[in-house]
Amino acid sequence: MRLATRDNATPDGELVIVSADGARCLSAGSLCPNLLSAVERWDQVRPALQGLDMRLAAGEGAPLDPATLRAPLPRTWQWLDGSAFATHGELMQQAFNLPPIETDRPLMYQGMSHQFLAPTEDARFPSAADGIDFEGEFGVITGAVPMGCSAEDALAHVRLIILLNDWSLRTIAPIEMKTGFGWIQAKPACSVAPFAVTPDELGDAWNEGRVCLPLTVTVNGTWFGSPNGSAMVYGFHELIAHAAHSRSLAAGTIIGSGTVSNADYALVGSTCISERRAIEKIAHGAFRTGFLGAGDRVAMQVGEHADHFGRIDQRVWLTA
């Protein structure tokens, strides 16, 4: 199934089920008012949601206006972002002479979760001097996960899979990292592609807790990269187990993969500017690519045709 959230002037929006071609939808309002409600009662409502999906497959449904779509979860209980692609970390360490992080645990931080930007909403930032960057990631939305959940059991708690842009402010990030208290100003609201999909929707591309698909990024219409999500060192099951070691996870928790990155970056490119700058520093001794400014446009999708998740397509807007 493909699920989306349509704007209805409420904080959480209206849940709709979307046809395979993304053209039609049916409201789930009589079953559950919004996606968070559906995830919290997933076992009870899933059969009825599947019924709506079958009706769409039979040709029912009203036209879907993409302009009305918000992030699938406009707000939720918790956003936890990993850093599960080894190449990304290795490039950053080499370019900036950072010591390796000596740990056998997944890397993860907790970000803001009270707001996720719509896929075509302008991304607003205070200043270009803050080093505006994007990070293309895959993510999962979980059901309720008990404390101490094992990696072997964790995938049973994955309800939906999403594509997101974890916006980052690179000038601020090193300052906050030095405090040892984590990110606040360097991590504004993320953006999410319009469709959240059930794992079965991906078929063989959902394998060992990984989205084995290329994440394509363009900047101002120019290709930037298409690395594949299969290269995660830790799968989502391992990220979920890590997060749930000493706490339960509420239904609606979003866990991110971190910046999608591949070892053959010279061929497939990158999904963030900072990684490309690191590659340039290693190869040429200097940065060649600047961060984003007012009016720049960033788009993300899977493959060439925005299959599965739909498309993120946003313009940078400066408030100052």
Side-chain angles (χ1 to χ4, degrees), residues 50-85:
Q50 289 174 322
L52 293 176
D53 191 46
M54 292 175 64
R55 288 170 55 188
L56 285 165
E60 292 188 44
L64 176 65
D65 180 1
T68 66
L69 296 182
R70 300 170 64 183
L73 283 176
R75 59 177 182 172
T76 193
W77 298 109
Q78 187 167 220
W79 155 239
L80 303 170
D81 195 17
S83 182
F85 290 88

Side-chain angles (χ1 to χ4, degrees), residues 180-236:
F181 275 77
W183 288 306
I184 297 295
Q185 295 180 349
K187 289 292 184 178
C190 298
S191 308
V192 188
F195 307 135
V197 304
T198 50
D200 60 283
E201 192 80 11
L202 300 185
D204 293 340
W206 176 244
N207 186 30
E208 296 185 347
R210 294 161 171 83
V211 180
C212 302
L213 293 167
L215 196 169
T216 297
V217 179
T218 62
V219 179
N220 296 324
T222 300
W223 179 84
F224 199 90
S226 299
N228 197 291
S230 62
M232 293 172 71
V233 175
Y234 296 100
F236 278 109

Side-chain angles (χ1 to χ4, degrees), residues 45 53 61 79 90 111 274 311 317:
V45 303
D53 191 46
W79 155 239
E90 291 164 0
S274 190
R311 179 180 172 88
W317 186 273

Side-chain angles (χ1 to χ4, degrees), residues 67 69-71 116-122 190-194 312-314:
L69 296 182
R70 300 170 64 183
F116 291 88
L117 302 181
T120 58
E121 180 179 357
D122 285 347
C190 298
S191 308
V192 188
I312 299 172
D313 192 347
Q314 294 179 286

Side-chain angles (χ1 to χ4, degrees), residues 97-119:
N97 295 316
L98 300 174
I101 300 174
E102 302 291 349
T103 182
D104 58 357
R105 299 183 177 190
L107 303 177
M108 185 175 288
Y109 75 91
Q110 185 160 341
M112 63 174 282
S113 60
H114 70 275
Q115 178 190 21
F116 291 88
L117 302 181

Side-chain angles (χ1 to χ4, degrees), residues 16-298:
V16 295
I17 310 302
V18 180
S19 61
D21 61 3
R24 292 170 291 110
C25 69
L26 285 170
S27 173
S30 61
L31 302 169
C32 37
N34 53 63
L35 181 56
L36 184 57
S37 172
V39 172
E40 290 174 330
R41 300 186 295 121
W42 190 251
D43 290 339
Q44 293 94 329
V45 303
R46 179 169 182 168
L49 297 178
Q50 289 174 322
L52 293 176
D53 191 46
M54 292 175 64
R55 288 170 55 188
L56 285 165
E60 292 188 44
L64 176 65
D65 180 1
T68 66
L69 296 182
R70 300 170 64 183
L73 283 176
R75 59 177 182 172
T76 193
W77 298 109
Q78 187 167 220
W79 155 239
L80 303 170
D81 195 17
S83 182
F85 290 88
T87 297
H88 179 72
E90 291 164 0
L91 286 169
M92 303 300 283
Q93 290 166 9
Q94 184 178 351
F96 299 103
N97 295 316
L98 300 174
I101 300 174
E102 302 291 349
T103 182
D104 58 357
R105 299 183 177 190
L107 303 177
M108 185 175 288
Y109 75 91
Q110 185 160 341
M112 63 174 282
S113 60
H114 70 275
Q115 178 190 21
F116 291 88
L117 302 181
T120 58
E121 180 179 357
D122 285 347
R124 297 174 178 269
F125 305 101
S127 170
D130 292 337
I132 302 167
D133 197 0
F134 50 85
E135 294 186 51
E137 305 189 17
F138 293 110
V140 296
I141 300 172
T142 75
V145 181
M147 183 176 71
C149 177
S150 68
E152 291 74 20
D153 295 334
L155 288 185
H157 298 289
V158 173
R159 300 292 179 254
L160 298 162
I161 305 169
I162 57 174
L163 166 66
L164 57 92
N165 177 4
D166 176 30
W167 289 103
S168 298
L169 301 180
R170 299 299 189 182
T171 304
I172 299 174
I175 299 170
E176 293 192 314
M177 289 174 70
K178 288 179 181 178
T179 68
F181 275 77
W183 288 306
I184 297 295
Q185 295 180 349
K187 289 292 184 178
C190 298
S191 308
V192 188
F195 307 135
V197 304
T198 50
D200 60 283
E201 192 80 11
L202 300 185
D204 293 340
W206 176 244
N207 186 30
E208 296 185 347
R210 294 161 171 83
V211 180
C212 302
L213 293 167
L215 196 169
T216 297
V217 179
T218 62
V219 179
N220 296 324
T222 300
W223 179 84
F224 199 90
S226 299
N228 197 291
S230 62
M232 293 172 71
V233 175
Y234 296 100
F236 278 109
H237 53 306
E238 293 162 308
L239 297 181
I240 292 169
H242 174 75
H245 174 75
S246 58
R247 65 169 92 174
S248 62
L249 306 181
T253 293
I254 301 177
I255 295 183
S257 66
T259 306
V260 178
S261 179
N262 291 174
D264 56 345
Y265 51 81
L267 177 65
V268 301
S270 301
T271 63
C272 77
I273 294 174
S274 190
E275 180 174 300
R276 175 178 279 191
R277 285 165 60 90
I279 294 166
E280 292 168 345
K281 182 73 177 295
I282 294 166
H284 309 292
F287 304 127
R288 296 183 174 182
T289 301
F291 292 115
L292 300 175
D296 283 335
R297 194 163 192 167
V298 178

